[in-house]
Amino acid sequence: MGLGLAGTERPIKRNPGVGRSGRSSALRRRLLFRFIVAAATAVLCTLGLSAVTGQAARAADAPTVTSISPSRGIDTGGTLVTITGTGFTGATEVDFGLSSQNFTVVSDTEITATTTSNADGTVDVTVVTPDGTSAVTPADQFTFVPGTEVTGVSPASGPTAGGNTITITGTGFTGTTFVVFQQFVNGTSHTQAATFTVDSDTQITATVPPAPGNVSGNALINLLTPLGNDPTSPLTFYDYVGPTVTSVSPAFGLVTGGTTVSIKGTGFTSGATVQFGSTPATSVTVLSSTSLKVVTPPGSSGLADITVTTPDGTSPVVTGDRFTYVALPTVTGVSSAAGPTAGGNTVTITGTGFQNIFGFPGVTTVDFGSVPAPSFTVDSDTQLTATVPPGSAGAVDVTLLTWLGAITTTSAADQYTYLPVPAVTGVSPGSGLSVGGNTVTVTGTGFTDASAVSFGTVPATSFTVNSDSSVTATVPADAVGIDDVTVTTPSGTSAISAADQYVYHPTCTTTITGANSGNITVGSGLTCLVDATQAGQVTVDAGAELSVTDSIVSGSVTATDPAGITYCGSTEAGNLTVTGATGPVVLSGALPDGTACAADTISGAVAITGASAPVTVSGLKQRGTLTLENDTAGVDLDGGQLNGSAYVSDNTATAPASITVSGVAVTGSLYCTANSPAPTDAGTLNIVSAATASDQCTDLEEQQG
């Protein structure tokens, strides 16, 4: 050992002549050698002690591993492992056995590492730092094991509804968090988690869930464990047996039942039973293992799940098995609830179930009795508007036929009454003054819901419906004459007849009776000559009226634009000239109010021209010329004896007014020209004795020589 001591021995010179000095030199040499040996030994000891001390110091700073979590993992790698210990700062390597792993130094006392694939077995986990490598201990051990593997399931099949208990065997079950059953239906994955208990690392007890895809057939069993599944292990399946329902058609029907429904699914066998909710189907026909035909039982409004039961079990409840029971429609009101037998009016019908389950109109027919409405509109699920068809008087039920063939049940609430057209059979009292204001009672039938009472064309001032057969009305003012009283209801207006007539008597402003020798001027209102003898002239101004009844007038009567002229049973020696009358001109054996009187006799000429109101000359006895000309509201020349010529010219009439020359005896000529329409004889020819009738009256005469 080279200690730098080589070459230190040198030769020793001796003094000649000294004998014993030789022994002394040898002694000195032995002492020196011992000294050198001792020194070398000291140096070697010092060097060795330093080395041991350094090694001890380094051993004290090396990392230590105190625990591994988890302490096992799948042999394919990928397990995240937490290593705890000391001295991890600056770690350069983490080894699982002989394999280096990816790792992260979290702190001086924690490292996380992800395992890579490794052979099955237990290895020591060591950490290397600049200060050394952790010593191996039982605490650093990690075991590589195969992944979780399911090797068996017992029993291996059960009903599609699930609920039964099975035992799953295999390895690596410790820490299992999920047991999942998976089915693929038409390319789509469906899963259901099971409830379970981990009995041991090699056994799990689980409650089978309903078939995930709602169909019978195999379902893959998957476990989620800390280890992960062994990718090399074979797949394990559980076989769901029993019926399943995938669709129903139609998916809706009435609560009364009786709807035929087609059910599609799987696992249908002979003897299968079907329930709608908890109610058995009325009938079941098994067409195949995937198809049934059933008839629905009665049910409650709303959804019901259809389930199929076979010896293999009952189908699970799914969305596709739902059937909707639809409530029957109802009619709760009709407004207005009455109308004419002619129909054509509109009513509003309220109730329920007027739309289908999709929100579209669901009513197909609206019937009034047995007669369908000509048109209707569904406004909402609770209201529709219908046009009433014609019908017979009386009440009928309004019924609806809906989209599912349901007909509403009849009730008092759905009734509609066809009202008869009213008829007037009497008016009491039957006459009154033309000023009106008096009250009459109108009797008849069909007056309910009367909307109007009219005297001719004039509405009653007011009226009250006492009953279906009685109305009280206040008479309106109207012209002297006869009016038909009519009653109007939603069913129409009463037809006119002799029984409905009301007579307006004149209302005289001034009444003259007895002898009167002076001239009279009627400036306004109605002047009545009653049983009078008038010696002077009579003048009627515009807008005024003159009535001459059972009187004798010696002078002439001249009226310009009067409101009316009436003669009844009177005699006049002078001329009667009426121009531009705006009211009726009547020379007749009966007054406009129906009062009968003798025929009028006029010795002078009679000229009624330019009247805009009807002109009636009936039964007149006259000795002068009669001129009816340019009258525009119709002319009626009827009967009488004319001892002069008669001129009926340039008159007009608009229907129902007419121009009539009928039953007149004329001793002069009868001239009828330029009338529109041409005169008629109303079935009674005129007798012309002295001359001939001309133009339009040629065919209306019977010549007497």
Side-chain angles (χ1 to χ4, degrees):
M1 182 174 186
L3 300 176
L5 301 179
T8 57
E9 298 187 26
R10 293 187 178 96
I12 301 173
K13 294 181 179 180
R14 300 191 179 102
N15 294 322
V18 179
R20 298 183 71 91
S21 61
R23 290 191 298 269
S24 299
S25 295
L27 177 61
R28 284 194 299 271
R29 285 196 298 271
R30 285 195 297 271
L31 291 173
L32 178 61
F33 176 76
R34 290 177 180 173
F35 172 76
I36 292 171
V37 171
T41 300
V43 171
L44 290 174
C45 288
T46 300
L47 291 174
L49 181 59
S50 296
V52 171
T53 302
Q55 291 176 351
R58 285 195 298 274
D61 292 335
T64 62
V65 175
T66 58
S67 68
I68 302 295
S69 179
S71 61
R72 68 174 184 168
I74 191 168
D75 53 15
T76 55
T79 304
L80 181 64
V81 178
T82 299
I83 306 168
T84 55
T86 61
F88 293 166
T89 301
T92 58
E93 187 176 331
V94 173
D95 295 324
F96 281 64
L98 300 177
S99 301
S100 297
Q101 312 294 324
N102 294 323
F103 67 94
T104 300
V105 177
V106 179
S107 67
D108 191 63
T109 60
E110 182 178 321
I111 289 176
T112 58
T114 302
T115 63
T116 58
S117 62
N118 202 84
D120 292 341
T122 300
V123 297
D124 290 294
V125 178
T126 56
V127 177
V128 179
T129 69
D131 292 326
T133 300
S134 61
V136 296
T137 67
D140 66 19
Q141 290 182 341
F142 181 86
T143 301
F144 286 95
V145 296
T148 298
E149 180 179 3
V150 176
T151 58
V153 56
S154 178
S157 63
T160 52
N164 52 307
T165 300
I166 61 173
T167 300
I168 303 171
T169 54
T171 59
F173 294 168
T174 300
T176 297
T177 54
F178 284 99
V179 175
V180 176
F181 287 63
Q182 181 180 28
Q183 278 185 321
F184 290 88
V185 180
N186 297 325
T188 302
S189 172
H190 301 270
T191 59
Q192 282 274 26
T195 58
F196 65 95
T197 301
V198 178
D199 304 321
S200 68
D201 192 62
T202 60
Q203 180 174 301
I204 288 175
T205 301
T207 299
V208 179
N214 302 311
V215 296
S216 58
N218 285 334
L220 178 64
I221 299 177
N222 292 310
L223 276 59
L224 180 61
T225 67
L227 286 178
N229 293 320
D230 184 351
T232 64
S233 63
L235 300 178
T236 302
F237 292 93
Y238 177 82
D239 186 21
Y240 281 102
V241 295
T244 62
V245 175
T246 56
S247 68
V248 297
S249 179
F252 41 79
L254 292 173
V255 293
T256 52
T259 302
T260 299
V261 176
S262 174
I263 302 175
K264 301 297 182 182
T266 60
F268 301 156
T269 60
S270 177
T273 60
V274 176
Q275 286 190 309
F276 285 71
S278 59
T279 306
T282 302
S283 68
V284 178
T285 302
V286 179
L287 303 177
S288 69
S289 63
T290 60
S291 179
L292 299 175
K293 181 175 71 175
V294 302
V295 176
T296 63
S300 300
S301 176
L303 291 175
D305 288 293
I306 299 176
T307 55
V308 177
T309 300
T310 69
D312 292 324
T314 299
S315 61
V317 172
V318 296
T319 303
D321 70 21
R322 290 178 179 172
F323 181 85
T324 300
Y325 276 105
V326 179
L328 293 173
T330 63
V331 174
T332 57
V334 180
S335 179
S336 61
T341 54
N345 53 308
T346 300
V347 298
T348 298
I349 301 170
T350 54
T352 60
F354 296 172
Q355 292 178 330
N356 60 30
I357 61 174
F358 309 108
F360 296 106
V363 176
T364 56
T365 304
V366 178
D367 288 332
F368 286 71
S370 60
V371 183
S375 65
F376 65 91
T377 301
V378 176
D379 306 317
S380 68
D381 191 57
T382 58
Q383 177 177 300
L384 64 81
T385 304
T387 300
V388 180
S392 300
V396 297
D397 291 295
V398 179
T399 57
L400 310 181
L401 175 65
T402 64
W403 61 294
L404 289 177
I407 299 176
T408 53
T409 303
T410 59
S411 69
D414 68 24
Q415 289 192 337
Y416 176 85
T417 301
Y418 282 102
L419 300 175
V421 176
V424 176
T425 58
V427 180
S428 180
S431 64
L433 297 177
S434 60
V435 293
N438 54 307
T439 300
V440 298
T441 299
V442 182
T443 55
T445 58
F447 294 165
T448 300
D449 294 328
S451 58
V453 175
S454 298
F455 288 70
T457 60
V458 183
T461 303
S462 64
F463 69 91
T464 301
V465 178
N466 304 316
S467 67
D468 190 65
S469 59
S470 175
V471 171
T472 301
T474 300
V475 180
D478 201 359
V480 172
I482 299 174
D483 280 347
D484 289 291
V485 179
T486 57
V487 177
T488 300
T489 70
S491 293
T493 300
S494 58
I496 61 175
S497 68
D500 67 20
Q501 291 182 342
Y502 178 83
V503 179
Y504 279 99
H505 295 299
T507 303
C508 300
T509 305
T510 302
T511 301
I512 298 174
T513 61
N516 182 49
S517 58
N519 296 330
I520 299 173
T521 298
V522 181
S524 62
L526 171 62
T527 294
C528 298
L529 299 179
V530 181
D531 294 322
T533 301
Q534 173 62 32
Q537 306 292 323
V538 179
T539 301
V540 182
D541 292 342
E545 295 181 74
L546 175 65
S547 174
V548 182
T549 304
D550 297 328
S551 297
I552 300 172
V553 179
S554 299
S556 295
V557 176
T558 302
T560 304
D561 300 330
I565 300 295
T566 302
Y567 274 66
C568 180
S570 296
T571 301
E572 183 173 337
N575 298 325
L576 172 61
T577 304
V578 180
T579 304
T582 59
V585 178
V586 180
L587 309 179
S588 176
L591 290 176
D593 64 4
T595 302
C597 50
D600 297 306
T601 301
I602 300 177
S603 300
V606 175
I608 304 172
T609 61
S612 59
V615 174
T616 302
V617 178
S618 179
L620 176 65
K621 296 178 181 179
Q622 187 198 8
R623 294 174 186 164
T625 300
L626 173 64
T627 302
L628 304 176
E629 188 175 72
N630 291 319
D631 300 317
T632 61
V635 171
D636 182 12
L637 177 57
D638 178 27
Q641 178 67 51
L642 305 181
N643 294 319
S645 294
Y647 296 85
V648 181
S649 305
D650 298 297
N651 300 294
T652 59
T654 301
S658 62
I659 299 174
T660 305
V661 179
S662 171
V664 181
V666 183
T667 57
S669 296
L670 178 60
Y671 298 95
C672 299
T673 59
N675 297 287
S676 179
T680 66
D681 62 11
T684 304
L685 292 173
N686 301 283
I687 299 174
V688 180
S689 58
T692 59
S694 67
D695 200 357
Q696 293 176 320
C697 286
T698 300
D699 296 330
L700 306 182
E701 60 136 349
E702 180 181 342
Q703 188 70 39
Q704 288 187 355

